[in-house]
Amino acid sequence: MTTLLKAQPLVDQKIADLTKRCQTLIQNGRTPFMKVVLVGNNPASLTYIKNKKRICEMVGAKFELDQLDDKITKDEFLKHIEKLNNDPAVTGIIIQLPVSPELKTLRITNLVNPEKDIDGFHSKNTQWLYEGSYQTNHLLPCTPKGIIGLLDFYQIPLKGKHAVVIGRSLIVGKPISMLLSNRDATVTLAHSKTENLVELTKSADIIISAVGRAELITVSHINPQRKTVIIDVGMNTLDGKLVGDVKFDEVSPLVAAISPVPGGVGPMTVISLVENLILATEKKS
Ligand code: NAD
């Protein structure tokens, strides 16, 4: 029987825990306050932001969206971020990507004060990954943090296991590779130029696909004898439906466990972000 690695039971647990921690902070005069900065009105970004707001409100944290004109100059944008960095009431800041073409040349990930960097993208925060630690009191990047949370919740062993991560982006592929390595997995990081992907995935105990291509992973990538665990990070549209990178119907019967899309990594990313907000506020208290 294949286990479906659904996020909901863990999300429910985390919401209960974060609500308590948020109440304690508020009682001590420190309201967790998330500011999201959006440049323009990208519809996908607005959907992601709505989810962030919903979870903030569920746990009792304050949320505000600063929607900036897509014609904003670099100087004006930098001033806006500086103002938020210096505002003692704001405890977590997210610059929603993508930004306008004009702003793309800025090193966006390093603009937010590292203590308020709840996305976990600032080099001061990603440094923890390189240093080999996996401490829950660090502001780790949210999708990788959520993936590790999901694997732990379903008691998937990592130590000594062969994990094949597909995709080497800064927000998913690279940081999850390091987190898995810090948790004693043996990691292969595959990407668009990898020549023997099928050979690699067939020898994997854990496959993490973060590519963004529907039906990339098919039965040909799976060795049914290995009882593989698959984490599907991809978010793609196929025939008008949200799907992952894995051809779910044919692959899922051949593996030990698989995260569904929707309902797997997506909700874990949002809850990890709110967890980082509470953590950042606690650290300031
Ligand atoms: P990206 O475009 O920055 O990186 C994609 C990576 O895939 C690249 O490193 C590239 O080398 C690799 N790749 C491309 N084609 C490949 C192929 N044929 N074989 C092997 N590797 C290949 O993407 P990203 O920002 O890391 O996002 C990846 C996917 O994950 C997207 O669908 C995105 O929407 C999704 N995502 C989901 C969440 C979530 O919370 N569920 C969070 C972040 C990203």
Side-chain angles (χ1 to χ4, degrees):
M1 257 284 274
T2 306
T3 303
L4 261 191
L5 306 175
K6 291 185 185 174
Q8 199 58 49
L10 177 54
V11 168
D12 290 344
Q13 265 186 23
K14 283 192 177 279
I15 283 179
D17 170 57
L18 296 174
T19 303
K20 271 194 209 142
R21 286 162 65 186
C22 188
Q23 277 166 358
T24 306
L25 284 163
I26 292 170
Q27 277 160 13
N28 293 329
R30 292 285 300 148
T31 301
F33 182 6
M34 181 188 293
K35 266 276 186 188
V36 178
V37 179
L38 172 68
V39 181
N41 57 0
N42 180 309
S45 296
L46 284 165
T47 305
Y48 299 142
I49 292 167
K50 221 166 96 185
N51 279 333
K52 292 168 188 175
K53 180 173 189 260
R54 189 173 55 88
I55 302 293
C56 272
E57 288 173 351
M58 274 176 100
V59 305
K62 190 172 167 192
F63 175 95
E64 255 179 40
L65 168 64
D66 286 357
Q67 198 165 356
L68 307 177
D69 194 290
D70 60 2
K71 306 251 172 358
I72 192 167
T73 65
K74 278 184 199 168
D75 272 358
E76 287 166 333
F77 180 74
L78 290 173
K79 269 192 200 132
H80 191 90
I81 301 301
E82 199 48 33
K83 197 175 80 194
L84 299 181
N85 279 339
N86 293 328
D87 182 344
V90 174
T91 59
I93 304 169
I94 296 162
I95 301 175
Q96 187 70 43
L97 300 175
V99 291
S100 58
E102 159 80 6
L103 303 180
K104 276 199 175 131
T105 51
L106 295 170
R107 279 191 76 197
I108 295 289
T109 51
N110 272 8
L111 295 182
V112 170
N113 175 342
E115 290 173 5
K116 299 186 181 189
D117 168 41
I118 53 175
D119 260 332
F121 293 157
H122 194 288
S123 47
K124 280 208 174 133
N125 289 319
T126 54
Q127 191 184 337
W128 297 115
L129 299 172
Y130 298 99
E131 288 185 3
S133 80
Y134 174 63
Q135 302 284 333
T136 45
N137 65 342
H138 292 148
L139 296 176
L140 296 171
C142 300
T143 303
K145 178 176 174 148
I147 293 171
I148 294 287
L150 199 60
L151 289 167
D152 284 347
F153 181 74
Y154 285 97
Q155 298 178 353
I156 311 272
L158 302 176
K159 190 174 177 178
K161 300 297 177 190
H162 181 207
V164 174
V165 175
I166 315 169
R168 57 179 164 183
S169 73
L170 283 177
I171 61 166
V172 190
K174 281 181 183 158
I176 188 61
S177 300
M178 280 185 273
L179 279 181
L180 287 165
S181 167
N182 297 348
R183 288 286 302 272
D184 297 326
T186 304
V187 182
T188 303
L189 181 53
H191 47 78
S192 56
K193 305 290 185 291
T194 298
E195 290 181 350
N196 55 341
L197 186 63
V198 167
E199 213 175 287
L200 293 170
T201 53
K202 280 191 156 171
S203 73
D205 299 301
I206 300 163
I207 298 171
I208 305 212
S209 186
V211 173
R213 226 178 93 182
E215 303 190 340
L216 175 77
I217 306 299
T218 64
V219 278
S220 65
H221 293 83
I222 308 299
N223 174 359
Q225 313 303 324
R226 283 200 81 90
K227 305 204 183 313
T228 317
V229 173
I230 302 188
I231 300 291
D232 192 349
V233 187
M235 280 174 34
N236 313 290
T237 308
L238 187 68
D239 301 329
K241 271 175 47 187
L242 175 65
V243 297
D245 290 347
V246 179
K247 204 166 182 183
F248 186 88
D249 290 346
E250 69 175 41
V251 169
S252 57
L254 305 181
V255 297
I258 183 166
S259 67
V261 179
V265 175
M268 289 310 303
T269 298
V270 186
I271 200 76
S272 300
L273 185 71
V274 178
E275 201 169 9
N276 275 353
L277 172 73
I278 301 294
L279 191 60
T281 315
E282 287 169 344
K283 280 170 171 243
K284 285 290 275 181
S285 302

